Amino acid sequence: MATTEQPARHVGARVPRKEDPAMVTGQARYTDDLTVPGMLWVAFVRSPFAHATIKGIDTSAAKAADGVVDVFTGADLADDFAAPIVCAWPIVDDIKIPEHWPLTKDKARYAGDKVAMVVADTRAGAKDAAELVEVDYDPLPAVTDIELALADGAPILHDDLGTNLSMTWRHSEHSPVPARGKPEDVFPAADVVIKEKYRIQRAVPNAIEPRSIIVEPSPAQGEFTMWSATQIPHIVRTVLTLMTGVPEAKLRVIAPAVGGGFGSKLQVYGEEALLLVGSRKLGRALKWTEERQEAFVATTHGRDVVQEVELAADRDGTLRGVKVRIVCSMGAYMQLLTPGIPLLGAWLYGGAYESDAYDLEINGVFTNTTPTDAYRGAGRPEATYCIERAMDALARELDMDPAELRRKNFVPADAFPNHTIVSGLIVDSGDYHASLDRLLEALDYEGLRAEQKARRERGDNRLLGIGLSTYLEMCGLAPSRVAGAIKLVCGLWEAAQVRVMPTGTVQVMVGVTATGQGHATTFSQLVADQLGVEIDDVEIIAGDTKQMALGMDTYGSRSLAVGGIALHLAGEKVVAKARAIAANALECAEDDLEYDTGTFTVKGTDKTMHVKEAAFAAWTAHALPDGMEPGLEATHVYDPPNFSWPAGAHGCVVSVDTETGEVDIERYVAVDDCGVVVNPAVVEGQVQGGVAQGIAEALYEEAVYDEEGNLSNGSMTSYLVPTAAEIPPIETHHTVTPSPTNPLGVKGIGEAGTIASPPAVINAVIDALSGLGVTDVQRPATPQNVWRAIEEARQ
Amino acid sequence: MIPAPFEYEVAESVDHAVELLTTREDAKLLAGGHSLIPLLKVRLARPGTLVDIGRVSGMVGVLDAGEHLVVGAMTTLSDLVADASVSVGCPLLATTAAQVGDPQVRHRGTIGGSLAHGDPASDLPTTLLALDAELVVRGSGGERTIAAADFFVGFFETALGPDEILTEIRVPKTGAAGTAYLKFHHRAIDWATVGVAVVVESQNGSISSARVALTNMGPAPVRASAVEAALAGADRGAVARAAEAADRGTDPPSDLQAGADYRRHIAKVLTRRALTQALS
């Protein structure tokens, strides 16, 4: 299965996760587990109003409280910042990005906007004193709905911008690669045009570990060490340098054990900047740990998109064109990547299908809500939801089987390698028919259709629905040139360093930081095979800018497809150097050596040298080839030539109680093609977790704002994160088309489940009820929303 | 996460607890804590003193008193689920308790705490209302007994005085009656969107009496009197039509979980299903 030159021993095996013993026994140390001597605690005063002018802040009572060291407002810290919070993805030239300070000075623009920072000697003391800060708010009308925010007379969040519309991006105007054709050339003459409108609700990422930050200053050296529950310690370091003026060389950022992120920790937060600035001002170590309820408003949200889609097709089902307009909530401000999130799906609204024409318009809108940013899948779940719902709608319109319609339109396997899809990007590989065929077989699709018919005919009040969702996603972010062409401020290469120690163990430094994905296990498998060592002889070091200075961090299913390739290529450099050492020691030419899983053999002899022996020789340096540097180590920085292109087909089977609207998932089957699988257990875990999160979006979760702009369900009681009791067994299958773009043939799997599953579930619900005339159901498809869809269809 | 400051006292006896309730300002009882602590954590509850009654003896366990069961107010829900005299004498109490929260909640949460909290979405009050249970309370004025129908007064409001403690619950045994508690909720751990408790006495398909109570169809649990009246003396074929009156006289809330119209609809469906189950 592997494309590496030596036979695999560990790659492809279900190796138990190395990181689990520490996590399940409580020995893993998360930021909140850490204590620094002399540390003070921080609490933030947050606006209870979604929109209000701040007329004054009186901190005197808080400052006078027992144990309070200081209280800062935005005005107090005006001179401590070199720049406001950074938005690194201005996707169009005329984008409107408002000034965004860690402590707002003039206005609160969402319920949760930070107004003051309290520093005290205990956590409870800081929290108590925060209640004593008196803020004189003059409440203003708030707008939380994206469409209302664009209406005439809507409250304007940023007075200096004069509008709530931040930007409009059009594929036809802004994409660096052109679409195959223009919708205006296709739609007028099309046999069939369908128009649909979908609303993707706002979601709260809810990592199990809330955010936590410690900053410890070393005033004599002017140095700072920050521990932060983040996915991106390297980017945090660079951005905080820009924001605070602390030199990059004097700032060390450590992400210790991190308990999930799902994009919400792909961020440089105001709190991080404030703790850094506060510790510089006070010369004291500071700590802040987010409370769960605080996290609901203070940590970025995801999705919140309205989509209008039109598909043009021939009567026989041949897809001719895709035209989409979406309106996305930015929230009250731009965070690190906010405007770029919809762009990550901007070439994927055509799905895995061929057609002749494509266009997409993205509008970004400010509302009085928590800023949005990446949430598992970031842009791609939105695109997949849109096209997969629309394909089902088209199938209904044409009275075609939805599987047949998909099959008819897939990009054929023989179009690869390197096929230019309708939106203009080049997809390296895939076999979409194979995934769908595998899915239909696993589902017993024909049997299910028969069962569905039987239930309908006998008037069963538990109707069966079968939902399909096929997807194509781009991940393995990303070629830096492409990142630049679509106006991301940074590159998206990745780095790794491999060092074989004198005793033969291997130290591996990687730039990607794990938040629970199993990096240490997966990377150890690669190294173990490449260098002929045991899994436990490989030490993976990550998440510390001092130990591994290079890295672009973790998001976009890139850890293996980009970071793993950097690691593989660094390993190849180590093997090459070891080869030179071995040839020297074995007195032969390098070409006379065969290499297999750590061992060099002189062809046709039994003379061998292992990489470990070469490492010892490299350490003693007694007899190295002339001019060779001692030590056996190498670094590689890898910039991928293309994205990677996972794809797949998911199927969901539901029973819907037509009396109550309850949806019961009877089966969920996932067929994913993530290229070569390094560790099937890790991959299955990613798919299962991702599907669970997608089912959550389809059936349970929604951040709801009331008319005043307060988050109505900002707690674990009222925001319905499903538990193990709600998630059905998830059957996972794989097809494998190795990526020709990278030497390991891998593609990435971190987001596939979340991308594929919401349309599978919603399509299943609608499929169950289509006989009653139901064509849409509001997400999440709670019993009440399903019941209302049935009632509306009956009228 | 971080409650506002409060004093903490451990009560050694019911009388001691009553004394603390009487003498301390804004004193609040801490039983299993599964209603109170979440409110403390987000500072929605800010008591002056927490009076911990977790170590008061004699308030835990179920006693079989012949015609009825005597349930100590500090009995946990999981103990109710597992108690042999409950499963034999009043299985409805066990099946209701088994549907509250999750295992962690049931292991810590107590029946007394659940009843005294007066949450309209809570399951046990509804079941006790259907069972015509009595609640025994003690305060500075001595002991008194309150019928379940009089105990649940309104939205998070009970007949308990500020210095009174619920000490035990007297639950009539249900004998040969068919019973059921059906809870409609989205996630397994959620509060009831609507719940229904039924106790039906019938012979040879003829219903002699039916008691039906509803959860979250108003500020407090409520008896579905129209259903009860329609079923008295009727045969089981009357169930479907009778259940259509389940929402009569109710005042269901509209909230994030459900609109009032949906609750009314669910109350009817659930009542029909619960009666059918109890009669089967």
Side-chain angles (χ1 to χ4, degrees), chain A residues 645-667:
Chain A
W645 299 92
H650 285 210
C652 181
V653 182
V654 299
S655 236
V656 181
D657 184 327
T658 54
E659 274 194 302
T660 62
E662 283 172 293
V663 174
D664 181 25
I665 298 182
E666 294 194 352
R667 284 182 71 198

mmCIF file of all heavy atoms in Angstrom, chain A residues 645-667:
data_model
loop_
_atom_site.group_PDB
_atom_site.id
_atom_site.type_symbol
_atom_site.label_atom_id
_atom_site.label_comp_id
_atom_site.label_asym_id
_atom_site.label_seq_id
_atom_site.Cartn_x
_atom_site.Cartn_y
_atom_site.Cartn_z
ATOM 1 N N TRP A 645 -6.291 16.261 -1.934
ATOM 2 C CA TRP A 645 -7.700 16.244 -2.341
ATOM 3 C C TRP A 645 -8.436 15.007 -1.840
ATOM 4 O O TRP A 645 -8.801 14.134 -2.630
ATOM 5 C CB TRP A 645 -7.784 16.352 -3.856
ATOM 6 C CG TRP A 645 -7.182 17.612 -4.392
ATOM 7 C CD1 TRP A 645 -5.895 17.801 -4.804
ATOM 8 C CD2 TRP A 645 -7.830 18.884 -4.515
ATOM 9 N NE1 TRP A 645 -5.704 19.109 -5.196
ATOM 10 C CE2 TRP A 645 -6.881 19.792 -5.034
ATOM 11 C CE3 TRP A 645 -9.126 19.337 -4.243
ATOM 12 C CZ2 TRP A 645 -7.188 21.132 -5.284
ATOM 13 C CZ3 TRP A 645 -9.415 20.668 -4.506
ATOM 14 C CH2 TRP A 645 -8.454 21.547 -5.015
ATOM 15 N N PRO A 646 -8.685 14.924 -0.544
ATOM 16 C CA PRO A 646 -9.491 13.805 -0.049
ATOM 17 C C PRO A 646 -10.906 13.881 -0.615
ATOM 18 O O PRO A 646 -11.376 14.966 -0.971
ATOM 19 C CB PRO A 646 -9.524 14.027 1.470
ATOM 20 C CG PRO A 646 -8.430 14.993 1.761
ATOM 21 C CD PRO A 646 -8.280 15.838 0.522
ATOM 22 N N ALA A 647 -11.535 12.762 -0.693
ATOM 23 C CA ALA A 647 -12.910 12.706 -1.197
ATOM 24 C C ALA A 647 -13.581 11.502 -0.570
ATOM 25 O O ALA A 647 -12.927 10.677 0.080
ATOM 26 C CB ALA A 647 -12.916 12.594 -2.721
ATOM 27 N N GLY A 648 -14.870 11.385 -0.785
ATOM 28 C CA GLY A 648 -15.534 10.220 -0.241
ATOM 29 C C GLY A 648 -17.031 10.295 -0.412
ATOM 30 O O GLY A 648 -17.568 11.213 -1.041
ATOM 31 N N ALA A 649 -17.681 9.298 0.156
ATOM 32 C CA ALA A 649 -19.135 9.213 0.075
ATOM 33 C C ALA A 649 -19.652 8.742 1.432
ATOM 34 O O ALA A 649 -19.178 7.734 1.955
ATOM 35 C CB ALA A 649 -19.549 8.237 -1.020
ATOM 36 N N HIS A 650 -20.562 9.518 2.001
ATOM 37 C CA HIS A 650 -21.157 9.141 3.285
ATOM 38 C C HIS A 650 -22.646 8.881 3.101
ATOM 39 O O HIS A 650 -23.297 9.512 2.266
ATOM 40 C CB HIS A 650 -20.970 10.254 4.321
ATOM 41 C CG HIS A 650 -19.576 10.342 4.861
ATOM 42 N ND1 HIS A 650 -19.283 10.777 6.123
ATOM 43 C CD2 HIS A 650 -18.386 10.036 4.291
ATOM 44 C CE1 HIS A 650 -17.972 10.752 6.323
ATOM 45 N NE2 HIS A 650 -17.401 10.306 5.214
ATOM 46 N N GLY A 651 -23.139 7.950 3.885
ATOM 47 C CA GLY A 651 -24.558 7.631 3.822
ATOM 48 C C GLY A 651 -25.155 7.571 5.210
ATOM 49 O O GLY A 651 -24.540 7.056 6.144
ATOM 50 N N CYS A 652 -26.342 8.122 5.331
ATOM 51 C CA CYS A 652 -27.013 8.140 6.624
ATOM 52 C C CYS A 652 -28.413 7.572 6.447
ATOM 53 O O CYS A 652 -29.116 7.909 5.491
ATOM 54 C CB CYS A 652 -27.075 9.585 7.133
ATOM 55 S SG CYS A 652 -27.856 9.739 8.742
ATOM 56 N N VAL A 653 -28.785 6.702 7.345
ATOM 57 C CA VAL A 653 -30.116 6.101 7.299
ATOM 58 C C VAL A 653 -30.860 6.533 8.555
ATOM 59 O O VAL A 653 -30.375 6.308 9.670
ATOM 60 C CB VAL A 653 -30.030 4.554 7.256
ATOM 61 C CG1 VAL A 653 -31.430 3.957 7.153
ATOM 62 C CG2 VAL A 653 -29.145 4.098 6.106
ATOM 63 N N VAL A 654 -31.992 7.187 8.370
ATOM 64 C CA VAL A 654 -32.740 7.666 9.537
ATOM 65 C C VAL A 654 -34.153 7.113 9.535
ATOM 66 O O VAL A 654 -34.712 6.761 8.494
ATOM 67 C CB VAL A 654 -32.835 9.213 9.570
ATOM 68 C CG1 VAL A 654 -31.463 9.845 9.644
ATOM 69 C CG2 VAL A 654 -33.624 9.754 8.382
ATOM 70 N N SER A 655 -34.697 7.067 10.735
ATOM 71 C CA SER A 655 -36.113 6.838 10.931
ATOM 72 C C SER A 655 -36.676 8.137 11.466
ATOM 73 O O SER A 655 -36.134 8.672 12.430
ATOM 74 C CB SER A 655 -36.276 5.775 12.005
ATOM 75 O OG SER A 655 -37.010 4.729 11.564
ATOM 76 N N VAL A 656 -37.714 8.642 10.857
ATOM 77 C CA VAL A 656 -38.311 9.881 11.362
ATOM 78 C C VAL A 656 -39.707 9.576 11.880
ATOM 79 O O VAL A 656 -40.537 8.993 11.169
ATOM 80 C CB VAL A 656 -38.385 10.958 10.262
ATOM 81 C CG1 VAL A 656 -38.985 12.247 10.823
ATOM 82 C CG2 VAL A 656 -37.001 11.231 9.687
ATOM 83 N N ASP A 657 -39.942 9.948 13.130
ATOM 84 C CA ASP A 657 -41.259 9.791 13.740
ATOM 85 C C ASP A 657 -42.126 10.942 13.232
ATOM 86 O O ASP A 657 -41.915 12.096 13.608
ATOM 87 C CB ASP A 657 -41.112 9.840 15.270
ATOM 88 C CG ASP A 657 -42.429 9.591 15.989
ATOM 89 O OD1 ASP A 657 -43.482 9.994 15.455
ATOM 90 O OD2 ASP A 657 -42.401 9.021 17.094
ATOM 91 N N THR A 658 -43.082 10.639 12.392
ATOM 92 C CA THR A 658 -43.854 11.717 11.754
ATOM 93 C C THR A 658 -44.810 12.391 12.728
ATOM 94 O O THR A 658 -45.313 13.464 12.446
ATOM 95 C CB THR A 658 -44.650 11.194 10.547
ATOM 96 O OG1 THR A 658 -45.439 10.085 10.980
ATOM 97 C CG2 THR A 658 -43.724 10.757 9.438
ATOM 98 N N GLU A 659 -45.045 11.769 13.864
ATOM 99 C CA GLU A 659 -45.911 12.421 14.859
ATOM 100 C C GLU A 659 -45.150 13.460 15.666
ATOM 101 O O GLU A 659 -45.668 14.524 15.977
ATOM 102 C CB GLU A 659 -46.468 11.369 15.832
ATOM 103 C CG GLU A 659 -47.719 10.712 15.349
ATOM 104 C CD GLU A 659 -48.386 9.956 16.485
ATOM 105 O OE1 GLU A 659 -47.731 9.061 17.074
ATOM 106 O OE2 GLU A 659 -49.526 10.281 16.805
ATOM 107 N N THR A 660 -43.908 13.116 16.034
ATOM 108 C CA THR A 660 -43.158 13.998 16.950
ATOM 109 C C THR A 660 -42.031 14.741 16.252
ATOM 110 O O THR A 660 -41.508 15.703 16.803
ATOM 111 C CB THR A 660 -42.513 13.169 18.078
ATOM 112 O OG1 THR A 660 -41.578 12.255 17.488
ATOM 113 C CG2 THR A 660 -43.558 12.408 18.872
ATOM 114 N N GLY A 661 -41.616 14.288 15.080
ATOM 115 C CA GLY A 661 -40.483 14.910 14.398
ATOM 116 C C GLY A 661 -39.133 14.382 14.854
ATOM 117 O O GLY A 661 -38.090 14.863 14.407
ATOM 118 N N GLU A 662 -39.136 13.394 15.727
ATOM 119 C CA GLU A 662 -37.854 12.853 16.190
ATOM 120 C C GLU A 662 -37.127 12.109 15.067
ATOM 121 O O GLU A 662 -37.748 11.332 14.336
ATOM 122 C CB GLU A 662 -38.077 11.878 17.346
ATOM 123 C CG GLU A 662 -38.357 12.551 18.654
ATOM 124 C CD GLU A 662 -38.760 11.529 19.699
ATOM 125 O OE1 GLU A 662 -39.839 10.923 19.559
ATOM 126 O OE2 GLU A 662 -37.984 11.335 20.654
ATOM 127 N N VAL A 663 -35.818 12.336 14.997
ATOM 128 C CA VAL A 663 -34.976 11.673 13.999
ATOM 129 C C VAL A 663 -34.081 10.679 14.723
ATOM 130 O O VAL A 663 -33.369 11.039 15.659
ATOM 131 C CB VAL A 663 -34.115 12.700 13.243
ATOM 132 C CG1 VAL A 663 -33.129 12.005 12.310
ATOM 133 C CG2 VAL A 663 -34.990 13.679 12.482
ATOM 134 N N ASP A 664 -34.130 9.463 14.277
ATOM 135 C CA ASP A 664 -33.287 8.434 14.868
ATOM 136 C C ASP A 664 -32.334 7.932 13.780
ATOM 137 O O ASP A 664 -32.792 7.458 12.731
ATOM 138 C CB ASP A 664 -34.190 7.300 15.377
ATOM 139 C CG ASP A 664 -33.401 6.194 16.033
ATOM 140 O OD1 ASP A 664 -32.288 6.475 16.511
ATOM 141 O OD2 ASP A 664 -33.896 5.050 16.048
ATOM 142 N N ILE A 665 -31.036 8.094 14.015
ATOM 143 C CA ILE A 665 -30.084 7.607 13.005
ATOM 144 C C ILE A 665 -29.938 6.100 13.166
ATOM 145 O O ILE A 665 -29.435 5.627 14.180
ATOM 146 C CB ILE A 665 -28.730 8.310 13.137
ATOM 147 C CG1 ILE A 665 -28.906 9.817 12.906
ATOM 148 C CG2 ILE A 665 -27.727 7.727 12.135
ATOM 149 C CD1 ILE A 665 -27.619 10.615 12.974
ATOM 150 N N GLU A 666 -30.406 5.372 12.179
ATOM 151 C CA GLU A 666 -30.326 3.908 12.270
ATOM 152 C C GLU A 666 -28.943 3.412 11.865
ATOM 153 O O GLU A 666 -28.422 2.472 12.447
ATOM 154 C CB GLU A 666 -31.399 3.264 11.396
ATOM 155 C CG GLU A 666 -32.807 3.559 11.904
ATOM 156 C CD GLU A 666 -33.864 2.657 11.274
ATOM 157 O OE1 GLU A 666 -33.542 1.895 10.330
ATOM 158 O OE2 GLU A 666 -35.014 2.717 11.735
ATOM 159 N N ARG A 667 -28.376 4.046 10.836
ATOM 160 C CA ARG A 667 -27.020 3.654 10.425
ATOM 161 C C ARG A 667 -26.292 4.879 9.902
ATOM 162 O O ARG A 667 -26.898 5.775 9.322
ATOM 163 C CB ARG A 667 -27.065 2.597 9.309
ATOM 164 C CG ARG A 667 -27.419 1.204 9.802
ATOM 165 C CD ARG A 667 -27.390 0.228 8.643
ATOM 166 N NE ARG A 667 -26.017 -0.027 8.179
ATOM 167 C CZ ARG A 667 -25.735 -0.562 6.986
ATOM 168 N NH1 ARG A 667 -26.697 -0.880 6.152
ATOM 169 N NH2 ARG A 667 -24.477 -0.772 6.641
#
